[in-house]
Amino acid sequence: MEDIVLRELNEKGEIPNSLEFAEQHKFDVKAFDGVLKSLLVTDYVALQNLDVSEIELTEDGKKAVDQGAPEYRLVSLLKVGEEKSKDELVKEFKDDKELTLATNKAMQCKWIKSSKTSITRTAEEVKDETAKALHSLLESKDPNKHDKALIQDLKKRKMIQIKQIKYYKVSKGNSYKTKRVVEVADLTAEMLSKGTWKDTAFKKLNTNAMGKEIATGNFHPLWQMRDEFRSILLELGFEEMKTDSFVESAFWDFDVLFTAQQHPAREMQDTFYLSEPATCKTLPADLCEQVKKAHEGGSFGSIGYRYKWKEEEARKNIMRTHTTPCSARVLLLLAEETKKTGKFKPKKYFSIDRVFRNEATDATHLFEFHQVEGLIADFNLTLRELMGIIGEFFKRLGITNLKYKPTYNPYTEPSMEVYGYHPTLKKMVEVGNSGIFRPEMLLALGLPEDVSVIAWGLSLERPAMIHYKLDNIRNLLGHQVPLKFLKNNPIFCLP
Ligand code: PHE
Protein backbone atom coordinates (compact mmCIF):
# COMPACT_ATOMS: atom_id res chain seq x y z
CA MET A 1 0.00 0.00 0.00
CA GLU A 2 2.80 2.34 0.97
CA ASP A 3 4.54 1.90 -2.39
CA ILE A 4 1.30 2.47 -4.31
CA VAL A 5 0.51 5.68 -2.40
CA LEU A 6 4.02 7.06 -2.87
CA ARG A 7 3.98 6.17 -6.59
CA GLU A 8 0.56 7.81 -7.07
CA LEU A 9 1.82 11.00 -5.41
CA ASN A 10 4.86 10.95 -7.66
CA GLU A 11 2.70 10.62 -10.78
CA LYS A 12 -0.35 12.74 -9.91
CA GLY A 13 0.91 15.01 -7.11
CA GLU A 14 -2.05 14.21 -4.83
CA ILE A 15 -4.81 11.77 -3.97
CA PRO A 16 -8.01 13.84 -3.71
CA ASN A 17 -10.05 11.23 -1.84
CA SER A 18 -8.39 8.56 0.25
CA LEU A 19 -11.60 6.51 0.53
CA GLU A 20 -12.18 6.32 -3.19
CA PHE A 21 -8.53 5.49 -3.69
CA ALA A 22 -8.77 2.64 -1.17
CA GLU A 23 -11.90 1.37 -2.91
CA GLN A 24 -10.28 1.49 -6.35
CA HIS A 25 -7.31 -0.50 -5.14
CA LYS A 26 -9.43 -2.84 -2.99
CA PHE A 27 -7.51 -1.86 0.13
CA ASP A 28 -8.78 -2.66 3.58
CA VAL A 29 -9.86 0.82 4.72
CA LYS A 30 -8.55 0.47 8.27
CA ALA A 31 -5.17 -0.87 7.20
CA PHE A 32 -4.91 1.86 4.60
CA ASP A 33 -5.63 4.43 7.29
CA GLY A 34 -2.79 3.03 9.34
CA VAL A 35 -0.41 3.27 6.39
CA LEU A 36 -1.36 6.92 5.81
CA LYS A 37 -0.83 7.74 9.50
CA SER A 38 2.60 6.14 9.56
CA LEU A 39 3.57 8.05 6.40
CA LEU A 40 2.34 11.21 8.11
CA VAL A 41 4.47 10.66 11.23
CA THR A 42 7.60 10.46 9.10
CA ASP A 43 6.42 13.46 7.08
CA TYR A 44 6.30 11.53 3.79
CA VAL A 45 2.77 12.74 3.22
CA ALA A 46 0.52 15.57 4.35
CA LEU A 47 -3.12 14.80 5.12
CA GLN A 48 -6.02 17.18 4.90
CA ASN A 49 -9.05 16.07 6.90
CA LEU A 50 -12.23 16.21 4.83
CA ASP A 51 -15.68 14.81 5.23
CA VAL A 52 -18.79 14.33 3.11
CA SER A 53 -22.31 13.40 4.01
CA GLU A 54 -23.82 10.45 2.24
CA ILE A 55 -27.37 9.16 1.97
CA GLU A 56 -27.85 5.66 3.22
CA LEU A 57 -31.07 3.60 2.95
CA THR A 58 -32.42 2.18 6.19
CA GLU A 59 -33.96 -1.32 6.35
CA ASP A 60 -37.38 0.26 5.71
CA GLY A 61 -35.93 2.22 2.79
CA LYS A 62 -34.43 -0.91 1.23
CA LYS A 63 -37.73 -2.75 1.63
CA ALA A 64 -39.56 0.12 -0.09
CA VAL A 65 -37.13 -0.07 -3.02
CA ASP A 66 -37.49 -3.85 -3.33
CA GLN A 67 -41.19 -4.38 -2.57
CA GLY A 68 -42.73 -0.92 -2.94
CA ALA A 69 -43.51 1.74 -0.32
CA PRO A 70 -45.98 0.58 2.42
CA GLU A 71 -48.84 2.80 1.11
CA TYR A 72 -48.35 1.35 -2.39
CA ARG A 73 -48.27 -2.18 -1.04
CA LEU A 74 -51.52 -1.44 0.79
CA VAL A 75 -53.52 -0.21 -2.24
CA SER A 76 -52.12 -3.03 -4.34
CA LEU A 77 -53.89 -5.48 -2.02
CA LEU A 78 -57.29 -4.02 -3.05
CA LYS A 79 -59.17 -3.74 -6.34
CA VAL A 80 -60.88 -0.43 -7.07
CA GLY A 81 -63.92 -0.13 -4.79
CA GLU A 82 -63.03 -3.22 -2.83
CA GLU A 83 -63.24 -3.12 1.00
CA LYS A 84 -61.18 -5.33 3.30
CA SER A 85 -60.99 -5.51 7.08
CA LYS A 86 -57.87 -4.15 8.77
CA ASP A 87 -57.51 -7.49 10.58
CA GLU A 88 -57.02 -9.22 7.27
CA LEU A 89 -54.80 -6.54 5.76
CA VAL A 90 -52.44 -6.39 8.76
CA LYS A 91 -51.25 -9.92 7.92
CA GLU A 92 -49.39 -8.49 4.93
CA PHE A 93 -47.50 -6.00 7.13
CA LYS A 94 -44.81 -6.22 9.73
CA ASP A 95 -47.15 -4.99 12.48
CA ASP A 96 -50.06 -2.67 13.30
CA LYS A 97 -47.81 0.30 13.23
CA GLU A 98 -46.67 -0.31 9.68
CA LEU A 99 -50.27 -0.69 8.52
CA THR A 100 -51.28 2.54 10.26
CA LEU A 101 -48.38 4.44 8.63
CA ALA A 102 -49.32 2.96 5.22
CA THR A 103 -52.98 3.88 5.76
CA ASN A 104 -52.17 7.47 6.71
CA LYS A 105 -49.88 7.98 3.73
CA ALA A 106 -52.39 6.34 1.29
CA MET A 107 -55.17 8.60 2.63
CA GLN A 108 -52.90 11.64 2.12
CA CYS A 109 -52.53 10.52 -1.52
CA LYS A 110 -56.33 10.11 -1.71
CA TRP A 111 -55.99 6.45 -2.71
CA ILE A 112 -58.22 4.96 -0.02
CA LYS A 113 -61.02 5.54 2.47
CA SER A 114 -60.62 4.17 5.93
CA SER A 115 -63.02 3.40 8.75
CA LYS A 116 -62.24 2.13 12.22
CA THR A 117 -62.08 -1.48 11.09
CA SER A 118 -61.78 -1.52 7.30
CA ILE A 119 -60.17 0.08 4.25
CA THR A 120 -61.69 0.72 0.80
CA ARG A 121 -59.68 1.55 -2.33
CA THR A 122 -61.01 4.66 -4.12
CA ALA A 123 -58.25 5.55 -6.63
CA GLU A 124 -57.98 3.79 -9.96
CA GLU A 125 -54.46 4.57 -10.91
CA VAL A 126 -51.68 4.75 -8.34
CA LYS A 127 -47.95 5.41 -8.78
CA ASP A 128 -45.29 4.54 -6.16
CA GLU A 129 -43.63 7.96 -5.93
CA THR A 130 -41.79 7.05 -2.72
CA ALA A 131 -40.02 4.07 -4.26
CA LYS A 132 -39.18 6.17 -7.30
CA ALA A 133 -37.72 8.92 -5.15
CA LEU A 134 -35.66 6.39 -3.22
CA HIS A 135 -34.36 5.01 -6.51
CA SER A 136 -33.31 8.44 -7.64
CA LEU A 137 -31.40 8.96 -4.36
CA LEU A 138 -29.34 5.90 -5.14
CA GLU A 139 -28.00 7.54 -8.28
CA SER A 140 -26.24 10.24 -6.28
CA LYS A 141 -25.67 9.74 -2.59
CA ASP A 142 -24.86 13.41 -2.01
CA PRO A 143 -27.81 14.92 -0.06
CA ASN A 144 -27.09 18.38 -1.52
CA LYS A 145 -27.91 17.12 -5.01
CA HIS A 146 -31.55 16.40 -4.07
CA ASP A 147 -34.65 18.33 -3.12
CA LYS A 148 -34.34 19.37 0.53
CA ALA A 149 -38.01 18.74 1.36
CA LEU A 150 -37.83 15.23 -0.10
CA ILE A 151 -34.75 14.38 1.97
CA GLN A 152 -36.45 15.77 5.08
CA ASP A 153 -39.59 13.74 4.42
CA LEU A 154 -37.76 10.47 3.83
CA LYS A 155 -35.61 11.06 6.88
CA LYS A 156 -38.78 11.62 8.93
CA ARG A 157 -40.25 8.42 7.56
CA LYS A 158 -37.02 6.69 8.63
CA MET A 159 -36.35 5.40 5.12
CA ILE A 160 -32.97 7.09 4.83
CA GLN A 161 -30.27 8.43 7.11
CA ILE A 162 -27.41 10.81 6.43
CA LYS A 163 -24.00 9.42 7.26
CA GLN A 164 -20.84 11.52 7.77
CA ILE A 165 -17.89 10.01 5.96
CA LYS A 166 -14.41 11.14 6.82
CA TYR A 167 -11.55 10.92 4.38
CA TYR A 168 -8.28 12.61 3.54
CA LYS A 169 -6.83 14.55 0.72
CA VAL A 170 -3.29 13.16 0.52
CA SER A 171 -0.39 15.26 -0.75
CA LYS A 172 3.39 15.12 -0.52
CA GLY A 173 4.98 15.84 2.88
CA ASN A 174 8.25 17.67 3.48
CA SER A 175 10.23 14.44 3.58
CA TYR A 176 8.42 12.86 0.61
CA LYS A 177 10.38 10.24 -1.31
CA THR A 178 9.21 7.92 -4.08
CA LYS A 179 10.07 4.98 -1.89
CA ARG A 180 10.23 4.59 1.88
CA VAL A 181 13.78 4.61 3.17
CA VAL A 182 14.01 2.42 6.26
CA GLU A 183 15.56 4.49 9.01
CA VAL A 184 17.45 2.75 11.75
CA ALA A 185 17.42 3.80 15.37
CA ASP A 186 20.79 2.62 16.58
CA LEU A 187 24.29 3.09 15.34
CA THR A 188 26.12 -0.20 15.77
CA ALA A 189 29.79 -1.02 16.19
CA GLU A 190 29.59 -2.95 12.91
CA MET A 191 28.33 0.12 11.01
CA LEU A 192 31.30 2.03 12.35
CA SER A 193 33.89 -0.61 11.53
CA LYS A 194 32.54 -1.34 8.05
CA GLY A 195 31.74 2.28 7.25
CA THR A 196 28.12 1.39 6.29
CA TRP A 197 26.86 4.20 8.55
CA LYS A 198 27.60 6.57 5.63
CA ASP A 199 24.77 5.10 3.54
CA THR A 200 22.40 4.46 6.41
CA ALA A 201 19.41 6.67 7.13
CA PHE A 202 18.97 7.26 10.84
CA LYS A 203 15.85 8.09 12.74
CA LYS A 204 15.77 11.60 14.11
CA LEU A 205 16.28 11.82 17.85
CA ASN A 206 13.08 12.79 19.58
CA THR A 207 14.34 14.85 22.45
CA ASN A 208 10.79 15.45 23.65
CA ALA A 209 10.05 11.78 24.19
CA MET A 210 9.75 10.60 27.78
CA GLY A 211 12.67 8.41 28.63
CA LYS A 212 12.12 4.80 29.54
CA GLU A 213 11.39 4.54 33.23
CA ILE A 214 14.38 3.03 34.92
CA ALA A 215 13.62 0.46 37.58
CA THR A 216 16.03 1.47 40.29
CA GLY A 217 15.95 1.26 44.03
CA ASN A 218 14.82 4.37 45.85
CA PHE A 219 15.82 5.93 49.08
CA HIS A 220 13.06 5.64 51.60
CA PRO A 221 11.80 9.17 52.42
CA LEU A 222 12.52 8.55 56.06
CA TRP A 223 16.08 7.62 55.16
CA GLN A 224 16.49 10.82 53.19
CA MET A 225 15.27 12.67 56.26
CA ARG A 226 17.82 10.80 58.36
CA ASP A 227 20.63 11.79 56.00
CA GLU A 228 19.56 15.40 56.23
CA PHE A 229 19.55 15.28 60.07
CA ARG A 230 22.88 13.55 60.07
CA SER A 231 24.49 16.25 57.98
CA ILE A 232 23.11 18.98 60.26
CA LEU A 233 24.56 17.25 63.30
CA LEU A 234 27.88 16.57 61.59
CA GLU A 235 28.06 20.25 60.62
CA LEU A 236 27.48 21.17 64.26
CA GLY A 237 30.50 19.06 65.18
CA PHE A 238 28.74 15.96 66.57
CA GLU A 239 30.24 12.47 66.21
CA GLU A 240 27.99 9.53 65.38
CA MET A 241 27.49 6.89 68.08
CA LYS A 242 27.33 3.13 67.54
CA THR A 243 23.68 2.06 67.59
CA ASP A 244 23.83 -1.52 66.33
CA SER A 245 22.18 -3.18 69.32
CA PHE A 246 18.42 -3.35 68.89
CA VAL A 247 18.41 -5.86 71.74
CA GLU A 248 19.63 -4.38 75.00
CA SER A 249 19.65 -5.60 78.53
CA ALA A 250 17.26 -3.81 80.86
CA PHE A 251 20.49 -2.82 82.61
CA TRP A 252 21.58 -0.46 79.83
CA ASP A 253 18.09 0.64 78.78
CA PHE A 254 16.87 1.41 82.32
CA ASP A 255 19.18 0.72 85.25
CA VAL A 256 22.22 2.65 84.04
CA LEU A 257 19.80 5.47 83.24
CA PHE A 258 18.75 5.59 86.90
CA THR A 259 15.31 4.18 86.14
CA ALA A 260 14.02 2.30 89.19
CA GLN A 261 13.21 -1.38 88.75
CA GLN A 262 9.59 -0.58 89.69
CA HIS A 263 9.27 2.15 87.07
CA PRO A 264 6.08 1.66 84.99
CA ALA A 265 7.99 2.07 81.65
CA ARG A 266 9.64 -1.30 82.42
CA GLU A 267 6.33 -3.13 82.47
CA MET A 268 5.48 -5.67 79.82
CA GLN A 269 2.72 -3.53 78.36
CA ASP A 270 5.27 -0.84 77.47
CA THR A 271 8.41 -2.81 76.71
CA PHE A 272 9.04 -5.90 74.57
CA TYR A 273 10.87 -8.58 76.59
CA LEU A 274 12.77 -11.30 74.73
CA SER A 275 11.88 -14.92 75.43
CA GLU A 276 14.97 -16.35 73.74
CA PRO A 277 17.57 -15.51 75.00
CA ALA A 278 15.66 -14.07 77.93
CA THR A 279 18.72 -12.76 79.76
CA CYS A 280 22.15 -11.50 78.87
CA LYS A 281 25.25 -13.46 79.91
CA THR A 282 27.35 -10.78 81.56
CA LEU A 283 27.05 -7.28 82.91
CA PRO A 284 30.12 -5.08 83.51
CA ALA A 285 30.77 -5.95 87.18
CA ASP A 286 32.17 -2.60 88.32
CA LEU A 287 29.42 -0.60 86.67
CA CYS A 288 26.84 -3.00 88.09
CA GLU A 289 28.17 -2.26 91.56
CA GLN A 290 27.97 1.52 90.99
CA VAL A 291 24.45 1.36 89.52
CA LYS A 292 23.27 -0.74 92.47
CA LYS A 293 24.72 1.93 94.82
CA ALA A 294 22.98 4.73 92.91
CA HIS A 295 19.59 2.99 93.05
CA GLU A 296 19.81 1.85 96.67
CA GLY A 297 21.00 5.29 97.83
CA GLY A 298 23.59 6.79 100.12
CA SER A 299 26.13 7.41 97.32
CA PHE A 300 26.82 10.21 94.83
CA GLY A 301 25.18 12.71 97.22
CA SER A 302 21.82 11.02 96.59
CA ILE A 303 19.34 9.17 98.78
CA GLY A 304 18.55 6.96 95.76
CA TYR A 305 15.29 5.02 95.51
CA ARG A 306 15.92 3.04 98.72
CA TYR A 307 14.93 -0.43 97.53
CA LYS A 308 16.88 -3.66 97.00
CA TRP A 309 18.33 -3.55 93.49
CA LYS A 310 18.28 -6.94 91.75
CA GLU A 311 20.79 -8.01 89.14
CA GLU A 312 18.33 -10.61 87.68
CA GLU A 313 15.95 -7.84 86.78
CA ALA A 314 18.77 -5.92 85.08
CA ARG A 315 19.86 -8.98 83.07
CA LYS A 316 16.55 -9.29 81.23
CA ASN A 317 16.82 -8.80 77.49
CA ILE A 318 14.50 -6.31 75.87
CA MET A 319 14.09 -4.48 72.57
CA ARG A 320 15.60 -1.07 73.34
CA THR A 321 12.90 1.50 74.08
CA HIS A 322 15.10 4.50 73.26
CA THR A 323 18.61 5.24 72.00
CA THR A 324 19.72 6.71 75.34
CA PRO A 325 21.45 3.41 76.31
CA CYS A 326 23.75 4.08 73.35
CA SER A 327 24.56 7.43 74.92
CA ALA A 328 25.24 5.71 78.26
CA ARG A 329 27.65 3.31 76.53
CA VAL A 330 29.73 6.12 74.95
CA LEU A 331 29.74 8.00 78.26
CA LEU A 332 31.20 4.89 79.92
CA LEU A 333 33.94 4.76 77.25
CA LEU A 334 34.56 8.47 77.81
CA ALA A 335 34.88 7.92 81.58
CA GLU A 336 37.32 5.02 81.03
CA GLU A 337 39.36 7.12 78.60
CA THR A 338 39.48 9.95 81.14
CA LYS A 339 40.72 7.60 83.86
CA LYS A 340 43.37 6.21 81.52
CA THR A 341 44.71 9.55 80.28
CA GLY A 342 43.98 11.53 83.41
CA LYS A 343 42.40 14.16 81.22
CA PHE A 344 38.77 14.64 80.27
CA LYS A 345 38.13 15.55 76.63
CA PRO A 346 34.80 17.35 75.89
CA LYS A 347 32.68 15.47 73.33
CA LYS A 348 29.55 15.88 71.25
CA TYR A 349 27.72 12.76 70.10
CA PHE A 350 24.58 11.96 68.13
CA SER A 351 22.71 8.94 66.83
CA ILE A 352 19.69 8.22 64.63
CA ASP A 353 18.26 4.72 64.83
CA ARG A 354 15.34 2.49 65.53
CA VAL A 355 13.62 1.94 68.89
CA PHE A 356 10.74 -0.32 69.96
CA ARG A 357 7.78 0.15 72.26
CA ASN A 358 4.86 -2.09 73.04
CA GLU A 359 2.19 0.31 71.81
CA ALA A 360 -1.21 -0.18 70.26
CA THR A 361 -0.71 1.11 66.73
CA ASP A 362 -2.84 3.93 65.39
CA ALA A 363 -2.50 6.90 63.04
CA THR A 364 0.32 8.43 65.08
CA HIS A 365 1.84 5.42 66.88
CA LEU A 366 3.86 2.46 65.68
CA PHE A 367 5.63 -0.08 67.83
CA GLU A 368 8.89 0.76 66.13
CA PHE A 369 10.15 4.16 65.12
CA HIS A 370 13.37 6.16 64.93
CA GLN A 371 14.97 8.42 67.47
CA VAL A 372 17.40 11.23 66.93
CA GLU A 373 19.54 11.75 69.99
CA GLY A 374 22.26 14.25 70.77
CA LEU A 375 24.49 14.90 73.78
CA ILE A 376 27.31 17.19 74.82
CA ALA A 377 29.70 16.31 77.64
CA ASP A 378 31.75 19.23 78.95
CA PHE A 379 32.56 21.28 82.03
CA ASN A 380 30.04 23.76 83.41
CA LEU A 381 27.17 23.03 81.07
CA THR A 382 23.82 24.49 82.09
CA LEU A 383 20.29 24.81 80.74
CA ARG A 384 21.53 27.85 78.83
CA GLU A 385 23.85 25.69 76.72
CA LEU A 386 21.13 23.05 76.33
CA MET A 387 18.58 25.59 75.06
CA GLY A 388 21.27 27.10 72.83
CA ILE A 389 22.16 23.86 71.06
CA ILE A 390 18.51 22.74 70.80
CA GLY A 391 17.60 26.15 69.36
CA GLU A 392 20.38 25.90 66.78
CA PHE A 393 19.47 22.32 65.85
CA PHE A 394 15.76 23.08 65.33
CA LYS A 395 16.56 26.34 63.54
CA ARG A 396 18.36 24.26 60.92
CA LEU A 397 15.24 22.10 60.60
CA GLY A 398 13.22 25.24 59.92
CA ILE A 399 11.54 25.27 63.36
CA THR A 400 11.99 28.46 65.36
CA ASN A 401 10.33 30.20 68.36
CA LEU A 402 10.78 27.17 70.59
CA LYS A 403 9.03 26.89 73.93
CA TYR A 404 10.10 24.67 76.84
CA LYS A 405 7.99 22.93 79.44
CA PRO A 406 9.29 21.19 82.56
CA THR A 407 8.87 17.42 82.51
CA TYR A 408 10.21 14.33 84.25
CA ASN A 409 12.75 11.78 83.06
CA PRO A 410 14.36 9.39 85.58
CA TYR A 411 17.81 10.15 84.12
CA THR A 412 17.70 13.94 83.65
CA GLU A 413 17.19 16.81 86.06
CA PRO A 414 15.98 19.31 85.10
CA SER A 415 14.07 17.92 82.14
CA MET A 416 12.26 19.90 79.46
CA GLU A 417 9.86 19.08 76.69
CA VAL A 418 10.53 21.14 73.58
CA TYR A 419 7.65 22.68 71.60
CA GLY A 420 7.86 24.25 68.16
CA TYR A 421 5.37 26.07 65.94
CA HIS A 422 3.82 23.83 63.30
CA PRO A 423 3.11 26.00 60.23
CA THR A 424 0.47 23.64 58.75
CA LEU A 425 -1.32 22.81 62.00
CA LYS A 426 -0.85 26.46 63.04
CA LYS A 427 -0.13 25.54 66.64
CA MET A 428 2.69 24.55 68.97
CA VAL A 429 3.50 20.84 68.87
CA GLU A 430 5.93 18.79 70.94
CA VAL A 431 9.12 18.32 68.94
CA GLY A 432 11.48 16.80 71.49
CA ASN A 433 12.50 15.96 75.02
CA SER A 434 15.68 17.03 76.78
CA GLY A 435 17.55 17.47 80.02
CA ILE A 436 20.79 17.38 81.99
CA PHE A 437 21.87 13.87 82.97
CA ARG A 438 21.64 13.25 86.70
CA PRO A 439 24.79 12.82 88.81
CA GLU A 440 23.43 9.41 89.95
CA MET A 441 23.91 8.29 86.36
CA LEU A 442 27.10 10.17 85.41
CA LEU A 443 29.02 9.46 88.63
CA ALA A 444 28.03 5.79 88.48
CA LEU A 445 29.48 5.69 84.96
CA GLY A 446 32.69 7.13 86.42
CA LEU A 447 32.76 10.59 84.87
CA PRO A 448 34.56 13.36 86.78
CA GLU A 449 32.33 15.28 89.18
CA ASP A 450 32.69 18.62 87.40
CA VAL A 451 31.62 17.23 84.01
CA SER A 452 28.00 17.69 83.02
CA VAL A 453 26.14 16.18 80.10
CA ILE A 454 23.26 17.89 78.35
CA ALA A 455 21.13 15.82 75.99
CA TRP A 456 18.01 15.81 73.90
CA GLY A 457 16.02 13.39 71.78
CA LEU A 458 13.20 13.41 69.27
CA SER A 459 11.50 11.06 66.87
CA LEU A 460 12.47 11.12 63.20
CA GLU A 461 8.91 10.34 62.12
CA ARG A 462 7.29 13.48 63.56
CA PRO A 463 9.23 15.99 61.39
CA ALA A 464 8.97 13.60 58.41
CA MET A 465 5.18 13.51 58.73
CA ILE A 466 5.12 17.28 58.92
CA HIS A 467 7.37 17.58 55.89
CA TYR A 468 5.47 15.08 53.72
CA LYS A 469 2.11 16.34 55.03
CA LEU A 470 1.10 12.87 56.21
CA ASP A 471 -1.53 12.39 58.88
CA ASN A 472 -1.01 8.65 59.18
CA ILE A 473 2.36 7.32 60.29
CA ARG A 474 1.55 3.98 58.64
CA ASN A 475 1.93 5.70 55.28
CA LEU A 476 5.51 6.55 56.21
CA LEU A 477 6.87 3.40 57.82
CA GLY A 478 5.89 -0.25 57.65
CA HIS A 479 4.19 -2.61 55.24
CA GLN A 480 1.35 -0.25 54.33
CA VAL A 481 3.59 2.41 52.80
CA PRO A 482 2.46 2.89 49.18
CA LEU A 483 5.36 2.00 46.86
CA LYS A 484 4.41 4.98 44.73
CA PHE A 485 5.18 7.27 47.65
CA LEU A 486 8.69 5.82 47.77
CA LYS A 487 9.17 6.04 43.99
CA ASN A 488 7.71 9.48 43.42
CA ASN A 489 8.89 11.43 46.39
CA PRO A 490 11.44 14.02 45.43
CA ILE A 491 14.79 14.19 47.13
CA PHE A 492 14.19 15.58 50.56
CA CYS A 493 15.73 18.94 51.32
CA LEU A 494 15.39 20.95 54.49
CA PRO A 495 14.87 24.73 54.23
N1 PHE B 1 15.18 9.13 75.80
C1 PHE B 1 14.20 10.18 75.74
C2 PHE B 1 12.93 9.66 75.06
O1 PHE B 1 12.90 8.52 74.74
C3 PHE B 1 14.72 11.38 75.00
C4 PHE B 1 15.77 12.06 75.77
C5 PHE B 1 17.08 11.89 75.43
C6 PHE B 1 15.47 12.89 76.86
C7 PHE B 1 18.10 12.51 76.15
C8 PHE B 1 16.44 13.52 77.57
C9 PHE B 1 17.73 13.32 77.21
O2 PHE B 1 11.99 10.41 74.85
Side-chain angles (χ1 to χ4, degrees):
M1 284 185 217
E2 207 168 69
D3 285 348
I4 295 172
V5 173
L6 294 174
R7 212 184 308 134
E8 179 84 2
L9 289 176
N10 188 34
E11 284 163 16
K12 308 229 169 92
E14 66 168 34
I15 298 170
N17 182 331
S18 60
L19 269 184
E20 274 170 20
F21 189 77
E23 224 164 84
Q24 272 167 29
H25 291 84
K26 305 209 158 46
F27 290 160
D28 174 70
V29 177
K30 259 216 178 118
F32 186 55
D33 213 56
V35 167
L36 289 181
K37 297 258 167 71
S38 96
L39 285 169
L40 177 70
V41 174
T42 42
D43 214 7
Y44 273 56
V45 302
L47 300 179
Q48 188 186 347
N49 276 313
L50 296 169
D51 57 75
V52 282
S53 13
E54 197 180 277
I55 300 167
E56 200 182 53
L57 296 189
T58 61
E59 282 310 308
D60 285 352
K62 282 183 200 151
K63 197 168 160 192
V65 171
D66 293 344
Q67 302 167 20
E71 65 275 16
Y72 184 78
R73 275 165 30 227
L74 175 63
V75 259
S76 308
L77 293 169
L78 298 160
K79 295 189 197 90
V80 183
E82 186 185 6
E83 178 178 356
K84 276 190 186 167
S85 78
K86 285 188 178 172
D87 288 344
E88 191 184 338
L89 289 167
V90 80
K91 290 179 197 150
E92 303 296 325
F93 288 87
K94 203 164 66 192
D95 48 25
D96 274 347
K97 206 173 143 204
E98 201 189 15
L99 176 62
T100 311
L101 288 172
T103 310
N104 291 346
K105 193 72 192 168
M107 294 227 300
Q108 241 178 46
C109 299
K110 301 204 167 55
W111 290 348
I112 56 162
K113 265 194 338 211
S114 157
S115 74
K116 227 179 176 167
T117 55
S118 67
I119 289 168
T120 314
R121 174 167 172 175
T122 52
E124 285 196 12
E125 227 176 279
V126 293
K127 261 198 212 140
D128 192 353
E129 297 292 345
T130 306
K132 208 173 123 194
L134 286 169
H135 259 296
S136 78
L137 295 187
L138 289 179
E139 275 156 33
S140 165
K141 291 183 175 176
D142 182 355
N144 298 318
K145 297 225 167 91
H146 299 279
D147 179 41
K148 260 200 184 130
L150 175 71
I151 298 287
Q152 276 304 323
D153 182 52
L154 291 173
K155 247 171 80 180
K156 222 164 92 191
R157 292 182 68 190
K158 296 204 165 65
M159 293 200 163
I160 59 169
Q161 60 194 23
I162 309 292
K163 220 170 78 177
Q164 293 296 327
I165 299 187
K166 294 194 186 306
Y167 67 98
Y168 304 110
K169 185 174 122 181
V170 188
S171 48
K172 290 180 184 171
N174 292 328
S175 312
Y176 171 81
K177 289 179 192 68
T178 47
K179 212 167 162 39
R180 166 89 91 171
V181 179
V182 181
E183 291 179 335
V184 296
D186 299 318
L187 178 67
T188 62
E190 196 186 319
M191 286 178 196
L192 288 173
S193 62
K194 291 191 179 156
T196 51
W197 61 270
K198 287 180 204 153
D199 312 311
T200 309
F202 290 98
K203 271 191 185 148
K204 270 195 196 143
L205 277 182
N206 178 3
T207 49
N208 292 323
M210 290 289 286
K212 216 181 184 181
E213 205 178 311
I214 306 169
T216 59
N218 286 69
F219 271 121
H220 192 291
L222 205 54
W223 231 229
Q224 294 181 24
M225 192 91 182
R226 187 193 68 152
D227 283 355
E228 223 30 65
F229 274 47
R230 177 188 262 149
S231 46
I232 290 175
L233 287 155
L234 289 171
E235 277 165 24
L236 287 171
F238 284 75
E239 268 174 65
E240 191 158 10
M241 293 185 261
K242 238 177 96 174
T243 51
D244 52 6
S245 48
F246 284 2
V247 174
E248 276 289 5
S249 56
F251 179 71
W252 283 104
D253 200 274
F254 297 120
D255 296 286
V256 176
L257 299 176
F258 197 53
T259 304
Q261 293 188 327
Q262 299 78 24
H263 193 281
R266 298 174 78 130
E267 278 171 26
M268 225 104 88
Q269 55 265 40
D270 291 314
T271 299
F272 289 120
Y273 280 81
L274 260 70
S275 47
E276 182 67 44
T279 55
C280 67
K281 285 197 183 115
T282 54
L283 291 177
D286 291 348
L287 182 59
C288 226
E289 202 45 52
Q290 300 304 312
V291 166
K292 182 180 160 81
K293 266 165 53 184
H295 280 241
E296 292 184 348
S299 309
F300 313 121
S302 164
I303 58 167
Y305 293 117
R306 286 170 288 168
Y307 70 102
K308 179 128 187 56
W309 186 82
K310 289 201 194 101
E311 196 179 318
E312 308 94 81
E313 191 56 40
R315 275 180 185 272
K316 287 182 179 163
N317 279 333
I318 60 162
M319 301 299 290
R320 70 170 174 225
T321 61
H322 51 179
T323 43
T324 314
C326 305
S327 300
R329 283 178 187 272
V330 292
L331 288 174
L332 177 66
L333 291 180
L334 196 57
E336 285 170 355
E337 180 79 14
T338 308
K339 276 180 208 149
K340 217 163 44 186
T341 59
K343 197 172 175 306
F344 171 77
K345 260 212 323 240
K347 282 279 190 186
K348 296 198 249 183
Y349 287 110
F350 81 95
S351 69
I352 308 173
D353 210 346
R354 200 172 281 226
V355 300
F356 307 84
R357 289 184 193 175
N358 193 359
E359 300 231 39
T361 57
D362 63 26
T364 52
H365 293 90
L366 291 176
F367 51 73
E368 46 188 322
F369 60 97
H370 296 80
Q371 258 186 356
V372 183
E373 170 133 346
L375 70 87
I376 304 178
D378 205 341
F379 301 106
N380 302 321
L381 292 176
T382 65
L383 276 191
R384 181 189 279 275
E385 281 75 30
L386 180 57
M387 285 157 85
I389 187 66
I390 290 175
E392 184 57 34
F393 172 74
F394 281 103
K395 193 174 96 192
R396 294 183 187 218
L397 294 179
I399 302 173
T400 48
N401 300 323
L402 298 180
K403 291 240 184 314
Y404 298 89
K405 187 173 133 185
T407 187
Y408 170 79
N409 296 312
Y411 40 92
T412 53
E413 183 58 34
S415 311
M416 302 183 297
E417 279 174 356
V418 188
Y419 286 76
Y421 186 71
H422 187 314
T424 328
L425 295 178
K426 296 201 169 44
K427 63 171 188 185
M428 300 297 284
V429 295
E430 194 192 330
V431 289
N433 182 4
S434 66
I436 303 181
F437 283 131
R438 296 184 75 106
E440 287 93 332
M441 168 185 163
L442 298 183
L443 295 178
L445 283 166
L447 282 165
E449 249 176 71
D450 48 357
V451 167
S452 28
V453 180
I454 56 176
W456 81 102
L458 69 147
S459 91
L460 183 63
E461 282 75 3
R462 167 69 58 91
M465 282 173 73
I466 294 173
H467 177 79
Y468 292 109
K469 299 199 165 57
L470 299 176
D471 53 12
N472 190 338
I473 195 166
R474 287 171 285 209
N475 287 333
L476 180 67
L477 181 64
H479 63 284
Q480 283 177 25
V481 175
L483 282 181
K484 230 173 151 183
F485 171 63
L486 305 187
K487 285 250 175 229
N488 294 352
N489 104 84
I491 288 184
F492 174 73
C493 218
L494 283 168

